[in-house]
């Protein structure tokens, strides 16, 4: 076929020369004479039988000895091998080069200079790092470094960073090509595996890379501007713009420090940002959630500012928005100069007298709320702070226990230094033992911890309860000398948070009327016992000694309540006919829990319709399981207020939300309601993989809903809002014109950057138990006004127009969603597909 038949007149083609043609252009003769070609054919036959052997090696060495140009012929042999593209150590090409190296060492031969660049080209055309390093060494390619460096830089610009990194490692070009020039494109493209591979091969480059990244984390430095200039200058493609701000870069720096055992405090900006982020969270806990006592607040602020004094000004700035007198207290404590204070604060005299309750730092705040209290007397809380007590705990107090609970506490990780476990709590039915790990976390006590592991943690006959147990055990494993090999999950380890979820999914109904929501331990306690846990000591500095009475009570309760929850859930399961022991064992053995199904109840609920009067679409709202998200646009098109159930949301919380928002629930597989306040009849099972029309008809019939054509598209099928603007054909033409003009003159870079550049606060290990933190509260979305109001809605949202050329050629009426910017018209793919199904379904 003629090449002109393969392309149109408007297309261009690029003819890429073969490797042999490229090598010839470099001056390498890739032809073999008849005798050499015959010898090579025989070598291929011999290799199939003998592979790598002394006989074959001797045979190849003799050939190189008699050949006038062995270095050239070896290259030609390599590119003519069938497995050339993947020259692993056991392949023929690798064997040829390996033998050439041995021969050259024996006879002292060296390659000619004109062969070095062709050899480099051959080495980089295959995928083996070992082969690349071998060829570079044999052909002494380091001697033409000035020629290779520009080639490697072009590799980086052409998005071939993996090969570039291999060459840099093989030739040790670390001083010629900086680590940031190689790694920053990979960071922009979010390729952590390639970054780790490179740094593992050359750990000396970790320090320079961290120094470069930490400079970017300076709050006075514009990461966005720097990154965009770098992207434009180097033409970086496939950029992950959401990764280019302080938070993800801070996480990357912290991860690399941890991976390569570099003290994280050496990264000054990361340390400062983390301290500021932690202080911001602490302010939120004190003044919004009211979840921090005065003693805890003072201890933690002092500790944080002691670790990073440079954060003091930012702390005062944040605190001013909540409590000016408290800010003044800390200004005086820190002895900050007046010139460094915010302008708004200078109006307030530094000598202003603070009220008596503000001056008294030791006064505890009295919280009026009622909380669940420890049911054990104070004398049943035993602090293990001597070797004798520790020995008695293992040999006497825990002997004969079938079920115990375990928890641990550590100081909130403000700043750079990662906190260590400061307290381990072990609870039985009658006692709670608080092991002071600050005393025992030393090498001389490693035998104690060995016994502790064998007699308790690794003893499958004793069930260890926890809440977020795996994370607690990981902290213990990483912190305690002598426990670095403990298992963090498996037989004998039962996580109450997972047990709770599985029991609810298997039909357990908890009788509490509490609609507290949440997945925390406090939420479960409130659900089961009617009162939440008091969490004001949660963020305590657990490394201070002696512990306060409130800390001791908090630590003991957190452990002992797990046993109470275990017994309560067990009794509830017995009453409701649920196999508690089987479900618990399935969790510990990490097998799929078999949920109990009551088929007769299912049939009764799912084969009959609700006894409801005919209703309109605006009277009905739905929660839809994530497996049925393809159904959501069709329901919204009908007019139903429909939202998806987050995959991380517990079933109990789904029910609570459905009650509060008056929604029905649509599932692919039936689950039982855990609350008497939410009837089973409000949950409809639709199955998986069924026809959309069948599912819609089942919903409409089951809930007895009347739908007419006038109901169609009252809300956005993309965002569920009802904020529509109708556009005439003339309006559409004008909008499309502005859209095209704006799109051609602006790279839309700003659409990919988030304004959410808040402090890097690593909350993974911030709290000392498994309480969830909603970062949206702290780092809520900040509206990013578009730099030009030509192509945004009245709410500042960028407008999205698909198939714009088709729309311009046939202007027609359209609807614009002011909330998400989606433009709907008859040619829009999403609208067209949904509308066609709906028209077909109702035969309208």
């Amino acid at each position: 076929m003629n090449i002109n038949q393969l392309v149109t007149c408007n297309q261009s083609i690029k003819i890429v020369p073969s490797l042999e043609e490229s090598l010839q252009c470099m001056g390498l003769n890739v032809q073999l004479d008849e005798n050499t070609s015959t010898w090579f054919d025989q070598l291929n036959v011999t290799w199939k039988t003998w592979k790598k052997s002394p006989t074959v090696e001797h045979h190849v060495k003799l050939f190189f000895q008699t050949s006038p140009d062995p270095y050239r012929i070896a290259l030609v042999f390599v590119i003519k091998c069938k497995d050339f593209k993947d020259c692993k150590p056991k392949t023929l090409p690798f064997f040829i080069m390996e033998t050439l190296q041995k021969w050259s060492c024996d006879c002292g031969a060296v390659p000619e200079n004109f062969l070095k660049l062709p050899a480099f080209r051959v080495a980089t055309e295959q995928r083996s790092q070992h082969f690349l390093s071998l060829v570079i060494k044999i052909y002494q390619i380091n001697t033409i470094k000035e020629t290779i460096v520009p080639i490697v830089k072009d590799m980086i610009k052409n998005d071939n960073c993996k090969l570039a990194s291999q060459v840099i490692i093989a030739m040790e070009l670390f001083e010629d090509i900086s680590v940031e020039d190689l790694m920053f494109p990979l960071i922009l493209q979010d390729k952590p595996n390639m970054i780790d591979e490179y740094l593992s091969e050359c750990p000396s480059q970790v320090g320079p890379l961290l120094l470069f990244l930490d400079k970017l984390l300076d709050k006075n430095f514009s990461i966005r501007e720097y990154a965009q200039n770098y992207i434009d200058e180097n033409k970086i493609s496939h950029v992950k713009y959401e990764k280019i701000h302080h938070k993800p870069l801070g996480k990357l720096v912290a991860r690399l420090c941890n991976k390569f055992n570099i003290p994280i405090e050496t990264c000054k900006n990361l340390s400062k940002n983390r301290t500021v982020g932690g202080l911001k969270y602490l302010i939120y806990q004190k003044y919004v959630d009211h979840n921090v006592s005065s003693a805890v607040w003072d201890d933690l602020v002092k500790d944080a500012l002691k670790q990073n004094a440079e954060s003091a000004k930012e702390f005062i700035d944040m605190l001013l928005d909540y409590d000016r007198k408290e800010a003044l207290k800390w200004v005086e404590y820190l002895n900050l100069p007046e010139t460094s204070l915010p302008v708004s604060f200078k109006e307030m005299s530094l000598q202003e007298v603070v009220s008596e309750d503000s001056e008294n730092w030791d006064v505890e705040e009295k919280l009026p709320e009622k909380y669940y209290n420890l049911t054990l007397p104070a004398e049943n809380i035993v602090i293990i702070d001597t070797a004798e007590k520790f020995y008695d705990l293992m040999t006497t107090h825990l002997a004969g226990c079938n079920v115990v609970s375990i928890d641990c506490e550590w100081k909130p990780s403000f700043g750079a230094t990662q906190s260590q476990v400061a307290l381990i709590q072990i609870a039985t039915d009658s006692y709670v033992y608080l092991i002071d790990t600050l005393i025992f976390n030393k090498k001389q006590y490693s035998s104690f911890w060995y016994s502790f592991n064998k007699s308790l943690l690794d003893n499958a006959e004793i069930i260890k309860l926890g809440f977020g147990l795996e994370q607690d055990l990981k902290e213990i494993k990483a912190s305690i000398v002598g426990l670095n090999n403990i298992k963090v999950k498996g037989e004998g380890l039962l996580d109450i948070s997972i047990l709770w979820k599985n029991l609810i999914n298997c039909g357990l109904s908890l009788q509490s009327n509490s609609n507290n929501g949440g997945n925390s331990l406090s939420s479960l306690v409130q659900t089961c016992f009617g009162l939440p846990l008091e969490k004001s000591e949660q963020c305590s500095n657990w490394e201070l000694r002696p512990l306060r009475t409130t800390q001791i009570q908090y630590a003991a309760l957190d452990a002992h309540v797990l046993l109470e929850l275990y017994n309560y859930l067990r009794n509830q399961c017995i009453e409701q006919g649920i196999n508690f022991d089987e479900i618990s064992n399935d969790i510990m053995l990490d097998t799929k829990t078999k949920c109990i199904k009551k088929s007769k109840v299912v049939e009764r609920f799912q084969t009959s319709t609700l006894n409801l009067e005919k209703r309109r679409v605006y009277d009905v709202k739905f929660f839809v399981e994530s497996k049925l998200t393809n159904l959501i646009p069709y329901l919204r098109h009908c007019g139903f207020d429909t939202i998806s159930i987050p995959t991380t949301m517990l079933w109990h919380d789904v029910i609570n939300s459905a009650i509060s928002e008056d929604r029905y629930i649509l599932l692919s597989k039936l689950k039982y309601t855990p609350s008497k306040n939410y009837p089973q009849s409000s949950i409809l099972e639709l199955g998986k993989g069924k026809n959309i029309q069948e599912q819609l008809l089942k919903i409409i019939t089951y809930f007895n809903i009347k739908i007419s054509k006038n109901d169609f598209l009252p809300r956005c099928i993309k965002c569920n809002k009802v904020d529509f603007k109708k556009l005439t054909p003339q309006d559409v033409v004008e909008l499309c014109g502005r859209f095209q003009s704006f799109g051609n003159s602006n790279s839309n870079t700003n659409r990919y950057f988030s304004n959410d550049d808040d402090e890097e606060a690593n909350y993974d290990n911030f709290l000392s138990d498994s309480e969830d933190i909603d970062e949206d509260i702290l780092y809520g979305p900040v509206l990013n006004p578009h730099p030009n109001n030509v192509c945004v809605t009245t709410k500042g949202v960028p407008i999205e127009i698909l198939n714009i050329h088709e729309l311009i050629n046939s202007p027609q009426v359209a609807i614009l969603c002011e909330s998400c910017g989606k433009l709907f018209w008859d040619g829009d793919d999403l609208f067209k597909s949904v509308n066609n199904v709906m028209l077909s379904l109702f035969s309208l």
Side-chain angles (χ1 to χ4, degrees), residues 467-665:
F467 198 93
L469 180 59
E470 183 176 347
Q471 180 59 40
D472 280 350
L473 291 175
K474 284 181 178 178
E475 293 293 333
I476 292 173
K477 183 176 182 178
S479 298
I480 307 300
V481 175
L483 294 183
N484 57 310
N485 291 321
I486 64 172
K487 65 180 183 180
V488 297
K489 58 183 178 180
E491 191 174 3
L493 300 174
L494 181 59
D495 194 322
I496 295 294
S497 64
I498 300 175
L499 177 64
W500 174 23
K501 177 181 177 181
N502 285 17
L503 291 177
I504 292 297
N505 288 339
C506 288
L508 177 65
S509 176
L510 299 177
Q511 305 304 317
S512 172
N513 292 324
S514 169
N515 292 326
N516 56 305
N519 304 332
S520 67
L521 175 60
S522 180
S523 298
L524 178 57
V525 171
Q526 185 172 1
T527 299
C528 295
F529 304 134
L531 292 172
L533 296 177
E534 205 279 308
K535 308 301 290 184
S536 63
E537 292 289 347
Q538 181 183 27
C539 298
S540 290
N541 186 346
W542 292 97
E543 295 181 3
L544 293 179
R545 293 295 181 271
L547 293 171
R548 293 188 301 275
T549 301
T550 51
Q551 286 181 300
I552 294 172
Q553 288 286 327
Y554 172 88
L557 176 57
D558 253 20
H560 192 262
V561 76
L562 296 174
L563 284 168
E564 296 179 302
L565 289 170
Y566 176 82
N567 293 326
Y568 177 84
L569 293 173
R570 186 187 188 96
N571 292 333
Q572 289 295 311
C573 286
I574 293 173
E575 292 179 7
Q576 299 179 35
I578 296 174
N579 194 330
F580 178 87
D581 292 333
E582 180 181 359
I583 295 172
S584 298
N585 288 332
D586 286 343
I587 293 171
M588 289 187 285
L589 298 176
D590 200 21
T591 58
K592 188 175 181 181
T593 300
K594 299 177 182 178
C595 294
I596 309 300
K597 296 293 182 182
K598 303 177 182 179
S599 57
K600 293 183 179 180
V601 178
V602 175
E603 292 172 2
R604 183 171 72 250
F605 282 130
Q606 299 296 291
T607 57
S608 62
T609 60
L610 290 171
N611 185 20
L612 296 171
E613 297 181 357
K614 207 75 171 179
R615 290 175 297 170
R616 302 303 300 267
V617 293
Y618 45 77
D619 295 324
V620 181
K621 296 187 289 186
F622 290 117
F623 259 150
V624 179
E625 186 181 13
S626 58
K627 295 178 181 179
L628 298 174
T629 50
N630 60 320
L631 187 63
I632 290 178
Y634 299 91
L635 291 171
R636 289 173 177 170
H637 189 281
C638 291
F640 298 113
D641 181 347
T642 309
I643 58 176
S644 177
I645 300 173
T647 55
T648 56
M649 198 173 189
L650 286 179
W651 177 237
H652 182 79
D653 299 320
V654 173
I655 295 298
N656 285 338
S657 296
I659 293 173
S660 63
E661 298 178 25
D662 193 22
R663 293 183 183 273
Y664 295 110
I665 299 176

Side-chain angles (χ1 to χ4, degrees), residues 33 36 62-73 103 109-110 112 115:
D33 60 54
T36 304
L62 285 177
F63 175 81
F64 288 151
Q65 186 68 38
T66 58
S67 173
D69 51 354
Y71 285 96
R72 180 192 71 85
I73 290 177
W103 169 80
V110 294
E112 297 179 88
L115 290 174

Side-chain angles (χ1 to χ4, degrees), residues 275 279 282 286 292-307 315 326 329-330 333-334 360-364 411-412 414 536-551:
T275 300
L279 287 168
L282 191 59
K286 178 176 177 62
V292 176
S293 66
S294 294
V296 170
W297 163 262
D298 290 338
D299 287 346
L300 289 181
V301 172
K302 290 177 184 178
D303 185 72
L305 296 178
K306 179 181 178 182
Q307 292 184 41
F315 170 64
E326 183 71 13
K329 182 179 89 173
W330 288 104
Y333 173 79
L334 297 167
N360 189 352
W361 289 16
D362 296 322
V363 175
E364 291 288 335
K411 182 181 70 174
F414 284 120
S536 63
E537 292 289 347
Q538 181 183 27
C539 298
S540 290
N541 186 346
W542 292 97
E543 295 181 3
L544 293 179
R545 293 295 181 271
L547 293 171
R548 293 188 301 275
T549 301
T550 51
Q551 286 181 300

